[in-house]
Amino acid sequence: MLKIYDVETARQGILKRQPMSLMAFPAAVQARTEALFGAGVTPQMAVTQILRSVQQEGDAALRRWSLLLDRAVVDDFKIPSGALRAAWAQTEPALQEALRLAAGRIRQFHALQPLPNWQTEQMGGRLGQRVTAVEKVGVYVPGGTAPLPSSLLMAVIPAQVAGVSRIVVCTPPNPSPAVLAAAHLCGVNEVFQVGGAQAVAALAFGTESIPRVDKIVGAGNLFVTLAKQQVYGLVGLDGLAGPTETAVIADDSANPAWVAADLLAQAEHDLLASAILFTPSSDLAGAVQAAVMEQLSGLGRADIIRQSLENASGIVLTPDLDTAAALASDYAPEHLCFAVRNPQKVAERVRNAGGFFLGEGSFEVLGDYVAGPSHVMPTGGTARFASPLNVMDFVKITSLVALDPATSRVLSAAAVRIAAVEQLSGHAAAARFRAEGI
Amino acid sequence: MLKIYDVETARQGILKRQPMSLMAFPAAVQARTEALFGAGVTPQMAVTQILRSVQQEGDAALRRWSLLLDRAVVDDFKIPSGALRAAWAQTEPALQEALRLAAGRIRQFHALQPLPNWQTEQMGGRLGQRVTAVEKVGVYVPGGTAPLPSSLLMAVIPAQVAGVSRIVVCTPPNPSPAVLAAAHLCGVNEVFQVGGAQAVAALAFGTESIPRVDKIVGAGNLFVTLAKQQVYGLVGLDGLAGPTETAVIADDSANPAWVAADLLAQAEHDLLASAILFTPSSDLAGAVQAAVMEQLSGLGRADIIRQSLENASGIVLTPDLDTAAALASDYAPEHLCFAVRNPQKVAERVRNAGGFFLGEGSFEVLGDYVAGPSHVMPTGGTARFASPLNVMDFVKITSLVALDPATSRVLSAAAVRIAAVEQLSGHAAAARFRAEGI
């Protein structure tokens, strides 16, 4: 079921990146879209329609889409803070403790991240970069088949560490108590029950009940992602999330049962999730394949796992660990785990990945919940240029220029010359006034 | 010509932000698009067509679009490195010196920017964030009415400081010698003569002659911006640039001739450029208004300036400096200049701006050319969430997790509990294996 590939076959198959924006939608998605929005309407067109209606009609449009798309009658979008408190109070103590541990570590990790707030007096006066928090942030927390209180912690806490003054959470109607409990735990009191593209629209434009924010973060389903793409430029974004991915590089020192468990944990996320093992050991490959079969039947989401193992997962047999590292780097996975004798050494050969999980004790599931770094990481090969969600995502830089008079005069004379070649006589004039003290 | 507004009128008029993606296109743009692409074709649809054709046909499509849109027959897209060297050699010495000064200061400024490369041993093992350079970056340098060698320096040098190994420049056919000279100066040897949406397509997908890159930076015309929007998610971007803006906060200590010159310099960029003065001094307002009229007639681009002063520029009379600062912060301009007695104090009241220019000697034109920070700054109010181009734009973070065995066991037990409430039994199983040492 988890197939074994040679390098070339893997390159042409499971390792080949399909640019998300050009990906064909599954037939079921297109069919459901047409059933709800009319013949010939693509998911993008449906999302445009949702965005426009929310911009124009506000809450009334949100109610309509919640009914049509989520089959939910929503009177008040805002969850009362009493309900958040109650959800926390009703959480069993062991889970409370686990969530507290997670929140504490996420906060500690992000508080350690240095920010590039700096000034210099080496350049003739005072220059530098001032870092300030984004004022209002919207966090999308998906509902769906597996409610994720961890997703709330992983986005909200870095924003709090950055100093964001207003954090607004949107999550589909009738959210799970665990999500509400997580909101209470980290002190968020603006939680709105609205999901999908309509939630993104509400956060981007504002409605009567939901404030317009400066930046939207968090992953959601296809409609959420398409909506984020369409509001790009109007509002800040953390990126567009595709299906989740884990790659494992393992040598013959790895425990096949653990590797199998890590691949299965990844595969259970959703039908498009991808779990890939790179290994030079054919013994390990066979043992992992067998362990996957053995463990699979005991899992609650075995049907989902079977399909995601089939779709975009596999074992790639490589000539050596260097090749495994090179392939993983080109693939640029969201998560990259090193189940090898010397994780640090192999990791040095990899340029691109959202997170490195070094050693079998640092498995990816800990990254999902409690290790500390945000589990919102770049997918679909975007780790070539994008980072996991971090404190920098919730601040922005203002460049500072305060030159001393002598430097200003020298630079003004140079500016006159460059402005001349750029044929900008207004620029030249403004600079000449200062250069000549007119 | 440069009108004076009260606060409320300004709020409803020149300070009102129109989300770019929803902005109606000028009739001339729509008409030109239909003339070239057919009746009913919007600029977005035209851009989609360009992107698809380049993805499918590569250089052949680039040649076709260059001919149709830029009226240029291009045999070789790549500018020979001999031509770059020759352009530099033919640059007059005073300009060479000015460009060297600019390049040196831009490099010095960005080299001072601290990067968040860090590790901790406080969290049970080793955790942290590894910062690595993006491998391949494409820089778009516009051609158009005013060729901008400074734009090349302002994007290429921060990328070089970050350690980007391959930098590819695209600029419209038959580029100005000054742009080529700037490329030679900073040691870039891959310069391609292709502009517009087709250049963005080439960089995003790759063609026979132009490499696919990981990230595209730099501003361009409307077609460039629309193309960037459509490849968002597939390739990294610095953001979407709208028309350029400068706001000046001035009190009665300001030199009206200098303020006028700074507003005119801003207004000459293009028809949509915006230059706004906030001042509590009606004397200064009147004097600046008069000085603008007086200086205008001597400038080469007076026609452009007249229109941009009319379109989106003006003087806003505020009750006091605090109100001026608050209005400017809400407006979130690309450039914000402080021509006041105590620039630092007024600046502290402003949260949002791409760059602060503190004092009349630190005027915006110096930021365009030689001050040091990149002149690629967030426009259209995006300074609420976005930063000027900086070294962080050319790197990405990989989160590092290498837990010690004891911490791994404690965290695994917590992960089991959170996985249970998230109904992810595969996650729970992977964690249980480690917690129980199975």
Side-chain angles (χ1 to χ4, degrees), chain B residues 220-247:
Chain B
N221 66 11
L222 176 71
F223 272 60
V224 169
T225 304
L226 290 174
K228 285 173 77 177
Q229 189 171 28
Q230 292 189 25
V231 297
Y232 175 63
L234 165 62
V235 63
L237 298 179
D238 55 342
L240 301 182
T244 178
E245 313 149 346
T246 289

Side-chain angles (χ1 to χ4, degrees), chain A residues 54 58-59 62 77-79 135-140 164-170 188-194 198-217 235, chain B residues 384:
Chain A
V54 174
D59 283 347
L62 294 185
F77 289 106
K78 186 161 180 188
I79 310 273
E135 191 179 349
K136 283 177 280 183
V137 164
V139 173
Y140 188 82
V164 172
S165 46
R166 193 168 181 187
I167 298 174
V168 173
V169 170
C170 285
V188 168
N189 47 38
E190 291 195 275
V191 179
F192 296 93
Q193 50 176 328
V194 59
Q198 57 272 27
V200 173
L203 293 168
F205 302 119
T207 70
E208 299 90 321
S209 46
I210 300 178
R212 171 184 172 231
V213 299
D214 302 311
K215 183 154 187 168
I216 302 173
V217 302
V235 64
Chain B
R384 289 180 294 117

Side-chain angles (χ1 to χ4, degrees), chain A residues 214 258 268 361 384 408 427, chain B residues 214 258 268 361 384 408 427 438:
Chain A
D214 302 311
W258 291 11
E268 77 179 334
R384 290 179 294 119
S408 174
H427 282 57
Chain B
D214 301 311
W258 290 11
E268 77 179 333
R384 289 180 294 117
S408 173
H427 283 56
I438 300 171

